Amino acid sequence: MSLVHATGSTQTPGYRPALRFAPMREAPTTGSPPADLFKLMESRSAALRELASFAALRENWDGNGAACPIHESLQSAASFLELLSKARDWQPSLHADGRAVLELDEPSAYVEIVFGPKRQISVYVQRIGEPGRARLAEFNGRALPYLISTI
């Protein structure tokens, strides 16, 4: 699995779960990113700026054959971040198949949200002392899924 981060990870050694992602079912978007992604570059939120910077990456951005970023996925992740009311340190990253990923690493839990095609998100939660759980939800870009309120 290949994820890109602009900042270093603060993961406790051995705590981060080994995740398996389903293969992409749709071809990644090619061409120029939508203008609204570039508007995010001006955002005061470091997470939104970093997420928007992924839009400029091209195929093989990791040197290992990674797909170009899927703009629909990046936009969904940006919309998700803009809807959050809690000030948490979400870390954007990019999966090698082009999907946007948001990670939250807190002392009590690790959360990973992967933004797939057609408004589908995959949410993985691993709390200290509990088995990890993965769930699928729909994200319409206008309201956070109920599942997120349980994090």
Side-chain angles (χ1 to χ4, degrees):
M1 173 171 45
S2 177
L3 293 173
V4 63
H5 291 278
T7 59
S9 175
T10 59
Q11 294 287 329
T12 304
Y15 176 61
R16 187 172 183 160
L19 299 177
R20 302 272 187 241
F21 292 99
M24 280 292 301
R25 290 197 169 97
E26 294 187 5
T29 304
T30 58
S32 298
D36 49 350
L37 284 174
F38 286 119
K39 288 179 187 175
L40 292 175
M41 293 285 252
E42 300 170 1
S43 170
R44 289 179 297 208
S45 165
L48 282 172
R49 284 193 311 270
E50 185 173 358
L51 189 63
S53 73
F54 297 152
L57 298 174
R58 298 290 176 227
E59 192 171 345
N60 197 32
W61 53 264
D62 67 350
N64 290 314
C68 59
I70 301 168
H71 299 143
E72 175 188 4
S73 177
L74 293 173
Q75 189 60 56
S76 290
S79 296
F80 182 92
L81 283 173
E82 289 176 328
L83 289 171
L84 289 173
S85 59
K86 294 180 182 178
R88 290 180 151 173
D89 190 20
W90 288 95
Q91 177 63 47
S93 56
L94 188 63
H95 192 273
D97 67 9
R99 292 181 290 174
V101 180
L102 293 177
E103 296 173 283
L104 179 66
D105 184 20
E106 294 189 335
S108 62
Y110 170 78
V111 179
E112 181 171 285
I113 303 173
V114 181
F115 295 82
K118 299 184 181 180
R119 305 188 309 183
Q120 184 181 25
I121 63 172
S122 172
V123 180
Y124 178 86
V125 179
Q126 169 89 49
R127 296 189 191 284
I128 298 292
E130 296 179 17
R133 299 177 313 189
R135 301 230 166 94
L136 294 176
E138 185 175 307
F139 175 58
N140 64 14
R142 295 182 302 276
L144 293 173
Y146 172 77
L147 174 63
I148 301 305
S149 67
T150 65
I151 297 174

